[in-house]
């Protein structure tokens, strides 16, 4: 193999695939990235067997070939090079990759490319197309609510339901639920359901920043893998096996209080209270009072810690319904407020022990449910 | 009139070593870490005949009794036997105060015969566990403890109500709890040799010298004590454990036991309205190596099923099934009070 490419292209390509490199594996080749010529371009790929990311970059191919190189060594070295042309040459016999860039030289020992797992590519099956900004926002608004511990594996995934012209993403970790709907430009004949690992979706979100064309999604016939095709990038993820709980039943159908506040104001007040909440199981209390003799409606956000003290913040609120006091994990509030993207947020509650529903005011495509903290009043 | 039994296990650590290794029976035995600066933890009665006693430097003990067998302490074994003794005490009365690993007070209801119960406890501990102990009955904790020390080992004593002062009077002042070296040095002013001598010192003089302690000394010397038997706990954890008659390897048997203990832990939690955070499994193999492993709960619980499920998960994860178990325990730790805060779980 004999290839030349620009340092910045190689660095970007390596960055795209880097999260799919196995951190600790008994299989050494999974700690490597595949470097291979592919129809006049250079293909870079990594996989931890759960997730595989491939990326193609422009290159001048003088001689076809392939190898795998330890990811950490290659990434760190390439990132330290000047933004100039890099010449790569493989000694097939020793599987040593020679890199030359400006006045820098390196020889990195690799493992034969035949040991690298075969990564499935997008077949001819039914493809779903989604605008990149819509998919990115869906991922952002839903994937953080997925569980990070493995005690209930299905909850580490995002349930993706594609039906006719509708797509729904939902994730829940047992304490909170996030649901987002969107419309497909090309309706589907057959519905597709898949539980996609939240981590894989977050990778799709992370590497799709420059994407302009629609992103193609397909699920393999046996529903074991999902594939995402971007321009010059392909992501293949194993799907989570199992049955996702019926999340529609978790969303309360009614409420006794609806409180509308300014999103940024609530964000600031929650952030201020977090300082005290972090020593008190992250608990912030919201006291919601409708307009009345005491004046305009307001929401009071407080936190108290036995060690460091307490605080109180107050914001204007439009309150429709009963006064209520409810406590939430400050992080859960901060997480959802950070992905709303609307100036106003609505909180619908039915007392201090029932789930609270958070909605972006003016949009009906996003619903977030948070279970409150049990507190002693 | 109250009835308090004081129980003290005789040469406890040494006695356990003999139980675990019968060849040591009737030998001068010293339980101590073997090191240049170590001290005797416990000496068996045959060793005590040579003047060896606990807290003595090991080197000195070896001079006094060169043929003594020295074994290192095995805390797990002692605490397990201690637990078994305490369980026997609790069969006789709910009012048990464990003072140390080998000492406890038991309060007996006035209408029952405390002397008979003390005898029964002594016999039961000997028959079921194989340990010797001394028991003494009196109307308060102080006198029962002094009486117990006076009749050790394998002793039995009853101080009839009203005889407290008469019983204490001839005893050396060292026998009185609270009369340590410094106190005794100050008491030399009144030429106090016996507890009776102390009882004759006017209370205002003691008060002037010792303050509040003076009042205590005055009352104690006359056999007066109204301190309660303290059984109350403000629990940080609740647990159940069970030592098998013989070491056990059968999974079904252990799982069944864990289910029973989980139900017991859940009952203890429910009674007080507490919730548990981590669930802890304790495993002890035949050679006394002990593991405690814990797993957090997503949501604090008081449910027997959930406690059992977590405990069984820990069992599968940590039990080396090739090795038979001697003891299994299930515990709930970092308890949250009913008024506490926790993250509730979404329904469904």
């Amino acid at each position: 193999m004999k290839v030349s490419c620009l340092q910045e292209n190689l660095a970007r390509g390596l960055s795209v695939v880097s999260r799919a490199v196995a951190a600790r594996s008994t299989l050494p080749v999974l700690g490597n990235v595949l470097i291979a010529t592919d129809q006049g371009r250079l293909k870079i790929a990594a996989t931890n067997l759960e997730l595989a990311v491939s990326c193609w970059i422009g290159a001048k191919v003088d001689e076809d070939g392939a190898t795998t190189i330890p990811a950490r060594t290659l990434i760190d070295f390439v990132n330290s090079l000047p933004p100039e042309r890099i010449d790569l040459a493989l000694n097939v016999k020793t599987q040593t990759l020679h890199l030359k860039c400006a006045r820098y030289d390196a020889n990195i020992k690799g493992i034969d490319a035949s040991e690298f797992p075969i990564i499935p590519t997008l077949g001819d099956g039914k493809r779903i197309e989604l605008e990149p900004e819509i998919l990115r926002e869906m991922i952002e608004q839903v994937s953080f609510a997925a569980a990070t511990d493995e005690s209930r594996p299905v909850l580490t995934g995002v349930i993706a339901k594609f039906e006719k012209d509708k797509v729904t993403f939902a994730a829940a970790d047992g304490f909170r639920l996030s649901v987002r709907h969107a419309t497909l430009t090309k309706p589907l004949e057959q519905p597709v359901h898949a539980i996609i690992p939240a981590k894989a979706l977050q990778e799709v979100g992370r590497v799709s920043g420059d994407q302009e064309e629609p992103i193609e999604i397909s699920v393999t016939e046996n529903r074991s893998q999902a594939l995402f095709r971007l321009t010059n990038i392909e992501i293949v993820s194993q799907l989570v096996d199992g049955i996702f709980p019926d999340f529609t039943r978790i969303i309360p159908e009614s409420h006794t209080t609806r409180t509308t506040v300014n999103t940024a104001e609530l964000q600031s007040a929650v952030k201020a209270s977090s300082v005290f909440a972090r020593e008190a199981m992250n608990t912030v209390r919201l006291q919601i009072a409708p307009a009345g003799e005491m004046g305009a409606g307001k929401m009071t956000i407080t936190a108290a810690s036995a060690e460091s003290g307490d605080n109180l913040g107050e914001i204007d609120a439009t309150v429709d319904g009963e006064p209520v006091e409810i406590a939430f994990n400050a992080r859960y509030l901060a997480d959802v407020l950070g992905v709303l993207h609307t100036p106003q947020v609505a909180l619908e509650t039915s007392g201090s022990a029932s789930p609270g529903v958070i909605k972006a005011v003016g949009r009906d495509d996003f619903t977030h449910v948070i279970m409150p903290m049990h507190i002693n009043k | 009139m109250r009835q308090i039994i004081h129980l003290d296990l005789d040469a406890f650590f040494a006695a356990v070593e003999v139980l675990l290794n019968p060849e040591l029976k009737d030998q001068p035995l010293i339980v101590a870490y073997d090191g240049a600066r170590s001290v005797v933890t416990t000496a068996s009665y045959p060793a005590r005949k040579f003047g060896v006693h606990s807290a003595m430097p090991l080197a000195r003990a070896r001079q006094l009794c060169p043929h003594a067998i020295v074994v290192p302490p095995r805390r797990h074994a002692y605490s397990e036997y201690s637990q078994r003794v305490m369980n026997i005490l609790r069969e006789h009365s709910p009012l048990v105060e464990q003072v140390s690993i080998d000492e406890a007070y038991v309060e007996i209801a006035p209408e029952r015969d405390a002397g008979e119960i003390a005898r029964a406890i002594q016999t039961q501990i000997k028959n079921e566990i194989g340990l010797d102990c001394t028991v003494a009955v009196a109307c308060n904790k102080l006198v029962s403890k002094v009486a117990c020390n006076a009749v050790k080992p394998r002793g039995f004593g009853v101080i009839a109500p009203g005889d407290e002062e008469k019983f204490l009077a001839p005893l050396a002042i060292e026998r009185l709890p609270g009369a340590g070296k410094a106190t005794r040095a100050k008491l030399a002013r009144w030429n106090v040799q016996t507890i009776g001598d102390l009882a004759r010192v006017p209370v205002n003089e003691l008060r002037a010298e010792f303050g509040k302690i003076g009042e205590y000394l005055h009352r104690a010397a006359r056999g007066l004590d109204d301190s309660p038997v303290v059984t109350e706990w403000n629990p940080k954890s609740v647990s159940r454990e069970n030592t098998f008659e013989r070491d056990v390897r059968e999974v079904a048997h252990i799982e069944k036991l864990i289910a029973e203990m989980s139900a017991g832990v859940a009952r203890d939690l429910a009674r007080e309205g507490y919730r548990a955070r981590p669930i802890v499994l304790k495993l002890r193999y035949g050679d006394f190596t002990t593991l405690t492993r814990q797993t957090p709960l997503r949501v604090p619980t008081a449910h027997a099923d959930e406690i059992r499920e977590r405990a069984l998960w820990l069992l599968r994860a940590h039990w080396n099934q090739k090795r038979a178990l001697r003891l299994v325990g299930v515990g709930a730790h970092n308890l949250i009070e009913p008024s506490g805060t926790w993250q509730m779980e979404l329904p469904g």
Side-chain angles (χ1 to χ4, degrees):
Chain A
M1 182 175 74
K2 246 181 156 168
V3 185
S4 302
C5 64
L6 288 174
Q7 182 271 345
E8 56 206 84
N9 288 345
L10 184 56
R12 199 186 62 238
L14 287 170
S15 157
V16 166
V17 304
S18 62
R19 305 269 177 100
V21 176
R24 284 171 298 276
S25 175
T26 47
L27 217 58
V29 77
L30 297 184
N32 286 13
V33 288
L34 176 77
I35 306 282
T37 57
D38 186 13
Q39 297 173 351
R41 292 187 299 171
L42 192 62
K43 177 185 178 181
I44 304 164
T47 180
N48 56 19
L49 301 181
E50 291 281 311
L51 176 73
V53 182
S54 309
C55 175
W56 287 262
I57 63 170
K60 182 171 158 290
V61 178
D62 291 330
E63 191 186 313
D64 281 326
T67 187
T68 76
I69 300 296
R72 202 66 271 154
T73 311
L74 184 63
I75 291 169
D76 289 349
F77 183 71
V78 169
N79 283 341
S80 65
L81 292 174
E84 291 182 28
R85 197 187 73 192
I86 301 181
D87 297 320
L88 304 164
L90 177 70
N91 181 331
V92 177
K93 212 171 139 197
T94 62
Q95 287 295 317
T96 302
L97 186 69
H98 177 77
L99 285 87
K100 182 168 173 54
C101 178
R103 296 169 73 183
Y104 292 87
D105 261 287
N107 294 297
I108 308 179
K109 294 193 177 85
I111 299 173
D112 196 294
S114 64
E115 291 187 29
F116 199 78
I118 293 166
I119 297 170
T121 55
L122 207 55
D124 291 329
K126 280 183 264 335
R127 294 177 186 186
I128 303 155
E129 285 190 3
L130 260 175
E131 291 303 322
E133 56 271 28
I134 291 176
L135 179 60
R136 261 204 307 278
E137 193 181 70
M138 292 184 81
I139 292 169
E140 182 196 22
Q141 292 186 325
V142 171
S143 65
F144 71 91
T148 48
D149 73 287
E150 298 280 337
S151 61
R152 286 167 77 188
V154 288
L155 296 186
T156 63
V158 171
I159 175 81
K161 293 185 174 188
F162 303 89
E163 269 167 50
K164 292 178 185 151
D165 65 340
K166 281 207 137 170
V167 51
T168 302
F169 277 15
D173 63 3
F175 305 123
R176 52 187 171 163
L177 163 72
S178 221
V179 184
R180 167 70 199 265
H181 304 285
T183 308
L184 295 171
T185 40
K186 293 182 189 162
L188 295 174
E189 286 168 22
Q190 296 281 328
V192 176
H193 291 188
I195 306 172
I196 307 165
K199 279 182 200 156
L201 280 179
Q202 281 158 354
E203 276 306 285
V204 174
R206 187 180 74 87
V207 303
S208 63
D210 299 333
Q211 181 73 16
E212 287 169 0
E213 300 293 308
I215 294 172
E216 290 178 12
I217 305 168
S218 75
V219 174
T220 53
E221 284 292 323
N222 60 6
R223 302 211 168 174
S224 67
Q225 289 167 327
L227 302 92
F228 298 83
R229 177 183 279 170
L230 291 73
T231 314
N232 298 329
I233 299 173
E234 278 187 25
I235 294 173
V236 181
S237 173
Q238 298 288 339
L239 295 179
V240 183
D241 202 19
I243 295 166
F244 202 86
D246 180 5
F247 59 87
T248 56
R249 285 168 43 197
I250 297 169
I251 304 169
E253 287 171 353
S254 61
H255 57 264
T256 53
T257 311
R258 180 179 164 98
T259 309
T260 310
V261 297
N262 179 289
T263 309
E265 282 180 19
L266 181 56
Q267 246 177 324
S268 299
V270 168
K271 195 177 170 195
S273 279
S274 300
V275 175
F276 297 90
R278 57 187 171 223
E279 284 168 9
M281 296 187 71
N282 238 1
T283 311
V284 292
R285 292 181 188 223
L286 310 183
Q287 272 170 299
I288 293 163
E293 287 167 18
M294 304 298 287
K298 66 178 183 185
M299 181 189 278
T300 310
I301 300 97
T302 60
S305 138
E307 292 83 37
S308 55
D310 54 59
N311 92 313
L312 181 152
E314 205 179 272
I315 60 175
D316 291 334
T318 308
V319 183
D320 188 5
E322 323 252 313
V324 64
E325 180 175 355
I326 189 164
F328 290 111
N329 183 322
R331 185 168 65 82
Y332 292 175
L333 284 177
D335 282 350
V336 62
L337 293 172
V339 300
L340 277 179
H341 309 310
T342 58
Q344 299 275 307
V345 54
L347 169 66
E348 295 171 355
T349 49
S350 304
S352 60
S354 302
V357 181
I358 287 170
K359 290 179 174 166
V361 174
R363 285 177 65 163
D364 56 5
D365 57 3
F366 178 67
T367 306
H368 191 80
V369 182
I370 309 180
M371 200 61 195
M373 303 283 294
H374 173 276
I375 47 165
N376 184 38
K377 281 191 282 184
Chain B
M1 186 61 75
R2 296 166 71 207
Q3 303 188 93
I4 312 287
I5 300 171
H6 184 260
L7 173 133
D8 199 338
L9 294 162
D10 298 333
F12 176 52
F13 294 177
V16 172
E17 292 298 338
V18 172
L19 281 182
L20 295 173
N21 182 5
E23 282 175 20
L24 298 173
K25 197 171 187 298
D26 300 325
Q27 302 280 339
L29 181 65
I30 292 172
V31 180
Y33 288 107
D34 203 347
R37 296 154 65 93
S38 60
V39 295
V40 175
T41 311
T42 307
S44 69
Y45 285 95
R48 291 184 195 194
K49 282 187 188 146
F50 292 87
V52 177
H53 58 77
S54 48
M56 172 184 279
L58 182 59
R60 172 83 186 123
R62 281 209 161 111
Q63 282 172 2
L64 292 170
C65 186
H67 59 293
I69 300 160
V70 181
V71 297
R74 286 190 275 182
R75 295 275 166 191
H76 283 316
Y78 310 147
S79 62
E80 183 191 309
Y81 277 96
S82 171
Q83 203 55 52
R84 291 169 66 183
V85 170
M86 299 305 151
N87 289 344
I88 288 179
L89 299 185
R90 288 191 184 95
E91 287 174 21
H92 292 274
S93 167
L95 298 175
V96 175
E97 177 181 348
Q98 181 170 1
V99 189
S100 68
I101 195 161
D102 58 357
E103 226 182 304
Y105 295 104
V106 187
E107 182 154 2
I108 304 298
E111 67 277 11
R112 298 171 69 199
D113 184 338
E116 196 178 295
I117 293 169
R119 282 271 190 220
I121 287 171
Q122 198 174 30
T123 311
Q124 196 180 349
I125 290 172
K126 182 68 183 172
N127 291 348
E128 292 183 10
I129 306 177
L131 290 171
D132 289 322
C133 66
T134 299
V135 287
V137 184
C139 71
N140 62 46
K141 284 163 74 175
L142 175 91
V143 177
S144 68
K145 182 177 169 68
V146 176
C148 193
N149 285 333
V151 296
K152 268 181 102 49
R154 264 174 277 175
F156 175 80
V158 176
I159 307 303
D163 288 350
E164 294 83 16
E165 195 167 356
K166 201 167 75 190
F167 159 69
L168 293 175
L171 297 177
I173 185 66
E174 293 94 300
R175 297 288 189 119
L176 191 72
K181 238 184 189 167
T183 306
R184 293 205 303 274
K186 286 181 184 170
L187 286 173
R189 242 172 73 186
W190 292 279
N191 193 23
V192 170
Q193 302 292 328
T194 64
I195 298 176
D197 295 339
L198 176 61
R200 281 186 290 276
V201 179
V203 65
N204 52 347
E205 290 181 28
L206 289 173
R207 213 182 282 134
E209 177 65 41
F210 297 101
K212 252 190 141 173
I213 305 290
E215 211 142 318
Y216 160 78
L217 289 171
H218 180 73
R219 285 173 53 78
R222 293 160 62 218
L224 299 173
D225 170 35
D226 52 15
S227 60
V229 169
V230 182
T231 56
E232 265 176 49
W233 39 249
N234 189 5
K236 288 197 171 60
S237 66
V238 297
S239 61
R240 292 288 164 98
E241 53 183 61
N242 201 309
T243 305
F244 300 115
E245 302 270 321
R246 50 171 186 86
D247 295 356
V248 167
R249 213 188 291 256
E250 291 80 18
V251 180
H253 183 84
I254 291 163
E255 287 181 345
K256 183 164 166 278
L257 185 70
I258 284 177
E260 286 167 15
M261 291 190 293
S262 301
V265 167
R267 275 197 303 277
D268 289 350
L269 290 171
R271 200 164 43 232
E272 307 288 337
Y274 281 94
R275 281 165 175 256
R277 264 180 293 213
I279 295 301
V280 178
L281 181 73
K282 181 170 169 182
L283 298 175
R284 179 169 298 156
Y285 293 115
D287 65 355
F288 282 98
T289 52
T290 304
L291 320 173
T292 49
R293 294 289 181 270
Q294 67 174 48
T295 170
L297 288 163
R298 286 169 55 78
V299 175
T301 193
H303 282 291
D305 289 351
E306 211 164 325
I307 294 169
R308 187 197 59 221
E309 198 181 295
R310 300 315 293 165
L312 289 176
W313 183 85
L314 286 167
L315 180 76
R316 285 191 290 274
H318 297 290
W319 175 34
N320 174 357
Q321 295 202 21
K322 289 188 194 119
R323 300 177 67 188
L325 290 168
R326 175 181 178 83
L327 173 149
V328 175
V330 175
H333 286 209
N334 293 5
L335 301 188
I336 300 178
E337 290 175 26
S339 63
T341 301
W342 67 85
Q343 172 68 52
M344 294 189 280
E345 204 167 19
L346 281 169

